[in-house]
Structure formats: structure tokens, C-alpha cells
């Protein structure tokens, strides 16, 4: 079983809980901008395919307590990164930091990055590279007050990228946010849907996918 963090937009946590419950996830717990739950590999594939309200699904790597910034480096150094990442592969670190210990979450990311590359240098005299746009591994560092956690992305590309938008327009609404607005509205697929703000048509498209029971990542 895996401990999973599903990230989403602030305000959509409760409808994401409802969606995951419908998808067969047992006892999902709402957190700030996300939902935490446990599941097996088959369930993880299912939610990545079917979730309309999650931005990404992350698999748990490590929990730790944090009293000072360098606790991130010390905790991350206890994990055998070389068993997961190859020296010729690339990684990226994203952050979700809500702590008075950090004025800038970039510093927290640097501490985690240093722990990973220092471990590789010590063991192999080489290190994997950081790649921001298309990494082999995407890692999330989460810090909430005095609690820290490290997670590994299981989704690959961001889940809001459904694949139907072949050309973007100026400031299109995010697909996950559009689906969340529909979920919060209480709309049912057997009723008409009116979108008075229709620009690029994201809300009607998301509603159509819902109504026809088409998975967003199909």
C-alpha cells in the first residue's frame, strides 16, 4: 500500500474527497490544498486516469520533524536516493511550504537538492542533473509548520493537461479549476448547463466529458 498526496486548488479539497471516494478510495483525509489517502497500485493508476479535480498524485517517500531549516538536509540524507534515481537521470524539486522557518521556499528546495546531489557525489563522484521542464523524476517537498514530508510524483505530466486543447487562448481557465467549479455548482449531467462566461469553452468541455463518462486522461 502507498501513502498518496493528491494536490489541488484551494477550495476544491472537499469535492476532491468526494471524487476519490467515488473512485474507490477509502477514508481520504482533507489537508490544505490536497487530500491524503492510502491505496494500492491499481487504485493509483485509476485515480490518475479518472480524477478531474487533482493536479497531481504524489507517492510518499519520507516524513520528518523540522525545527530549523537544515533539518531538511539531514532528513533527506537518510534516504537512499541512488536506489531510485540514476546518476545519468534528471530530477526536479517542487515545494509546498507553509512555515515561518522559510521566507523563500526556494531555499527549502535547495536544501533538499543539496542532500540528494551530495549523496551521489559521495558514493559515485557524479550526480544527476536538475531539469525543470521534463525531468525523469519530480519530487515534492512539503513543509507545514514543524512537519516535513517528501513525495515522488506518480502522474508525469500535470493532470490538468487533458489533451484536447490544441491551441491556447489568452488566460484560459485551468481544466481542473473548471471541473471543480462544475462539481461545486451541483450540476447533474441530465440537466442543461449554461456558461455565461464562455471564452475558450473549457467549462462546457469539462461538463461534456463528465456527462459522457469519458476519463479526463483518456
Amino acid at each position: 500500500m502507498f501513502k498518496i498526496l493528491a494536490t489541488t486548488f484551494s477550495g476544491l479539497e472537499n469535492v476532491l474527497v468526494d471524487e476519490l471516494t467515488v473512485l474507490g478510495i477509502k477514508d481520504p483525509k482533507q489537508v490544505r490544498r490536497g487530500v491524503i489517502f492510502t491505496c494500492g497500485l491499481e487504485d493509483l493508476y485509476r485515480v490518475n486516469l479518472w480524477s478531474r479535480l487533482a493536479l497531481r498524485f504524489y507517492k510518499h517517500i519520507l516524513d520528518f520533524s523540522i525545527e530549523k531549516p537544515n533539518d531538511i538536509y539531514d532528513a533527506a540524507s537518510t534516504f537512499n536516493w541512488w536506489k531510485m534515481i540514476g546518476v545519468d537521470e534528471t530530477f526536479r524539486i517542487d515545494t509546498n511550504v507553509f512555515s515561518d522557518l522559510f521566507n523563500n521556499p526556494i531555499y527549502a528546495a535547495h536544501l533538499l537538492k543539496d542532500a540528494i546531489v551530495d549523496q551521489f557525489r559521495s558514493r559515485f563522484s557524479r550526480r544527476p542533473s536538475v531539469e525543470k521542464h521534463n525531468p525523469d523524476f519530480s519530487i515534492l517537498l512539503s513543509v507545514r509548520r514543524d512537519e516535513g514530508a517528501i513525495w515522488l510524483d506518480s502522474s508525469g505530466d500535470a493532470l490538468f493537461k487533458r489533451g484536447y486543447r490544441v491551441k491556447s487562448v489568452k488566460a484560459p481557465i485551468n481544466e481542473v479549476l473548471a471541473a471543480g467549479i462544475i462539481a461545486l455548482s451541483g450540476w447533474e449531467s441530465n440537466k442543461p448547463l449554461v456558461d455565461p462566461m464562455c471564452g475558450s469553452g473549457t467549462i462546457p468541455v469539462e461538463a461534456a466529458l463528465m456527462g459522457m463518462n469519458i476519463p479526463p486522461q483518456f
Side-chain angles (χ1 to χ4, degrees):
M1 298 291 284
F2 305 113
K3 181 179 177 181
I4 303 297
L5 169 65
T7 58
T8 191
F9 291 111
S10 179
L12 298 185
E13 299 94 341
N14 59 330
V15 286
L16 178 55
V17 166
D18 294 340
E19 179 190 63
L20 292 172
T21 301
V22 171
L23 291 174
I25 299 302
K26 300 184 184 302
D27 199 26
K29 295 286 195 304
Q30 179 177 325
V31 295
R32 186 173 183 178
R33 297 183 186 177
V35 176
I36 290 178
F37 59 94
T38 58
C39 72
L41 186 59
E42 182 178 343
D43 289 329
L44 185 55
Y45 280 126
R46 182 186 305 111
V47 294
N48 267 294
L49 175 65
W50 279 98
S51 177
R52 306 178 194 278
L53 305 177
L55 294 167
R56 289 183 184 271
F57 289 95
Y58 291 92
K59 188 170 72 170
H60 177 257
I61 291 180
L62 187 70
D63 284 324
F64 59 94
S65 297
I66 178 168
E67 297 179 352
K68 57 186 183 302
N70 212 56
D71 288 340
I72 292 175
Y73 182 97
D74 294 339
S77 297
T78 66
F79 183 77
N80 292 325
W81 296 98
W82 55 273
K83 290 185 177 181
M84 185 177 77
I85 304 173
V87 292
D88 296 319
E89 293 181 304
T90 59
F91 69 96
R92 180 184 72 206
I93 296 174
D94 297 315
T95 57
N96 192 347
V97 176
F98 302 98
S99 171
D100 293 336
L101 292 172
F102 297 96
N103 294 323
N104 191 335
I106 294 176
Y107 178 50
H110 276 301
L111 289 167
L112 175 54
K113 184 267 295 180
D114 288 346
I116 296 172
V117 300
D118 286 353
Q119 186 181 98
F120 275 89
R121 285 196 184 105
S122 175
R123 190 175 186 89
F124 303 107
S125 299
R126 298 169 58 201
R127 50 156 287 187
S129 299
V130 173
E131 169 57 54
K132 294 183 179 181
H133 301 294
N134 190 28
D136 295 306
F137 295 90
S138 181
I139 299 164
L140 174 67
L141 170 63
S142 173
V143 178
R144 301 173 189 273
R145 299 184 181 87
D146 60 350
E147 297 179 352
I150 301 173
W151 309 79
L152 177 66
D153 175 41
S154 74
S155 301
D157 214 353
L159 294 178
F160 75 85
K161 298 180 181 179
R162 313 295 205 210
Y164 60 74
R165 194 189 298 279
V166 295
K167 185 177 180 180
S168 185
V169 298
K170 185 177 181 180
I173 188 172
N174 183 286
E175 288 83 347
V176 168
L177 180 57
I181 291 172
I182 296 169
L184 289 170
S185 75
W187 176 76
E188 298 175 359
S189 60
N190 62 345
K191 297 180 179 178
L193 181 138
V194 178
D195 178 16
M197 301 177 292
C198 185
S200 60
T202 307
I203 290 177
V205 170
E206 289 295 319
L209 291 175
M210 292 178 183
M212 299 176 69
N213 201 33
I214 297 173
Q217 302 303 323
F218 182 71

